[in-house]
Amino acid sequence: MVVTETAEKIKSMEIRGAGRIARAAAGALRDHARTLKSPDLEAFRQEMERAAETLVATRPTAVSLPNAVHLVMSGLDRAETLEEARAAVIRRAEAFIDSSQNAVGRIAEFGARHIRDGDTVLTHCNSEVALACIIEAHRSGKEIEVFATEVRPRNQGLITIRTLNDAGIRTNFIVDSAVRSFINKIDLVIVGADAVTVNGAVVNKIGTSQVAHSAHEARVSMLVAAETYKFAPRTVIGELVEIEERPPGEVLPDEIAHTLLNVTVRNPAFDVTPPEYIDLIVTERGAIPPQMAYVIIREHLGWEIEEFNNVNNMFAINTAHED
Ligand code: RUB
């Protein structure tokens, strides 16, 4: 079944990267809706909700996943018949996949404008959209060089250097801990995002905040490429983005770990970079300073607006009380 298969691939990271995860989940819901043989609308709704829950439960950090699922599933809200519901889910899933792909193209265009001829760019992890910016700058004739990190423990850097190599871009491959040694050669850091919170903090692959810290210390610009569906609406009401902790065996083989009784291996997959270390977040709607994240959440993630209204009312009541 496509939902279980997709969920397994997301869990095992065969499908990975926030944008790809979101598109795969939307595609799985679309295919599930196409083939479901529910007796009536209510049964269809319940089966779709189960599928949505299975997909959202795969990995907790990339907000693109619940955002995409929410968008597709809201097709069920106004449907009055089973066939209307099926059509709405399929339509919304396809619209999401299209707009997500278009967003990557738009961000590549905007992001490339921030890369100058002769620049040396550093990237961490494997972000489709950050790489799209770099490749677009190269395609438009700018002479650029890239430093790409290894990305322990899952080595996503290998995918990055393969892509850069195939695009004909001069690339240096370094271990994660070498970033500070090379930061003075770097003109610009570009990374992707798994989530952007309401205060403009960016959740991305573990090590991103160390890269950002080094860049900040060396006064090197830090740019984040992120589609608007990676902004986290629920952070408006104070929810934190959960940081996934993956199996210790990814860091240290179990047979070694078992001999070290006093050692605990920790393997957080993501970290949080504070907005003070970020110069610009490039979205498909344009580039914003991180402090403007709230505007993106409010203006472009309209399907959560009900929740904001409740929150705003709450603030209004509290303020009135204090006065
Ligand atoms: C991937 C990662 C990427 C973001 C953005 O982590 O941190 O930087 O997901 O990627 P993992 P994209 O490999 O654990 O999924 O720009 O491709 O959406």
Side-chain angles (χ1 to χ4, degrees):
M1 178 186 143
V2 66
V3 169
T4 327
E5 253 170 50
T6 306
E8 275 314 311
K9 286 184 181 168
I10 295 174
K11 263 193 208 154
S12 68
M13 292 176 61
E14 186 178 334
I15 298 173
R16 50 147 299 282
R20 288 190 175 92
I21 289 173
R23 286 195 294 274
L29 288 174
R30 174 200 57 205
D31 296 347
H32 192 53
R34 268 192 189 134
T35 52
L36 263 187
K37 295 195 176 27
S38 317
D40 55 37
L41 175 60
E42 201 35 50
F44 180 80
R45 206 187 286 276
Q46 282 175 10
E47 296 228 37
M48 287 305 299
E49 269 159 17
R50 259 201 305 279
E53 277 164 24
T54 304
L55 289 162
V56 169
T58 51
R59 291 188 77 189
T61 305
V63 171
S64 54
L65 173 60
N67 278 351
V69 167
H70 190 127
L71 190 61
V72 173
M73 292 295 288
S74 57
L76 293 172
D77 291 351
R78 291 207 200 111
E80 284 173 5
T81 67
L82 195 163
E83 285 318 313
E84 265 177 39
R86 194 193 305 278
V89 167
I90 294 171
R91 200 173 48 244
R92 279 179 175 254
E94 280 176 351
F96 173 78
I97 293 168
D98 274 1
S99 71
S100 161
Q101 271 152 351
N102 289 338
V104 174
R106 298 273 296 167
I107 294 172
E109 245 174 72
F110 298 150
R113 290 185 201 157
H114 294 273
I115 303 175
R116 295 159 308 177
D117 193 21
D119 270 358
T120 301
V121 180
L122 183 140
T123 191
H124 179 62
C125 197
N126 176 258
S127 157
E128 172 188 34
V129 68
L131 283 180
C133 298
I134 295 171
I135 291 169
E136 176 55 27
H138 170 76
R139 199 202 54 78
S140 67
K142 292 174 188 166
E143 187 77 43
I144 53 174
E145 183 171 348
V146 176
F147 276 70
T149 49
E150 182 183 26
V151 194
R152 276 273 290 152
R154 293 293 300 247
N155 303 320
Q156 286 93 331
L158 293 177
I159 315 172
T160 296
I161 57 171
R162 169 78 45 210
T163 305
L164 292 167
N165 178 72
D166 293 351
I169 297 172
R170 202 145 48 95
T171 300
N172 305 274
F173 186 46
I174 59 172
V175 297
D176 302 336
S177 43
V179 166
R180 194 158 175 266
S181 298
F182 288 109
I183 199 73
N184 288 324
K185 292 190 185 308
I186 307 299
D187 299 294
L188 178 69
V189 175
I190 305 185
V191 295
D194 281 82
V196 181
T197 70
V198 66
N199 69 343
V202 168
V203 183
N204 192 49
K205 180 52 55 194
I206 190 79
T208 303
S209 68
Q210 283 179 1
V211 172
H213 188 233
S214 290
H216 186 71
E217 181 194 39
R219 302 173 69 89
V220 170
S221 297
M222 172 95 187
L223 197 142
V224 175
E227 303 89 311
T228 50
Y229 59 81
K230 291 174 182 165
F231 285 63
R234 302 185 69 84
T235 57
V236 172
I237 52 169
E239 258 186 37
L240 297 175
V241 175
E242 184 182 337
I243 303 292
E244 176 183 12
E245 179 129 8
R246 294 194 57 85
E250 290 185 347
V251 176
L252 191 69
D254 288 340
E255 52 282 16
I256 299 178
H258 286 149
T259 65
L260 303 170
L261 292 182
N262 296 315
V263 175
T264 307
V265 177
R266 301 291 309 270
N267 186 19
F270 300 97
D271 67 17
V272 182
T273 300
E276 300 78 44
Y277 291 175
I278 299 163
D279 291 284
L280 220 50
I281 303 179
V282 184
T283 78
E284 72 276 18
R285 306 279 174 165
I288 55 157
Q291 291 73 16
M292 269 177 70
Y294 176 73
V295 175
I296 294 284
I297 292 177
R298 212 190 149 88
E299 309 282 314
H300 303 298
L301 300 178
W303 65 87
E304 291 278 357
I305 220 76
E306 278 287 282
E307 211 150 8
F308 299 145
N309 285 341
N310 294 339
V311 171
N312 286 341
N313 288 341
M314 230 165 69
F315 283 154
I317 291 163
N318 285 343
T319 320
H321 211 70
E322 279 165 20
D323 287 348

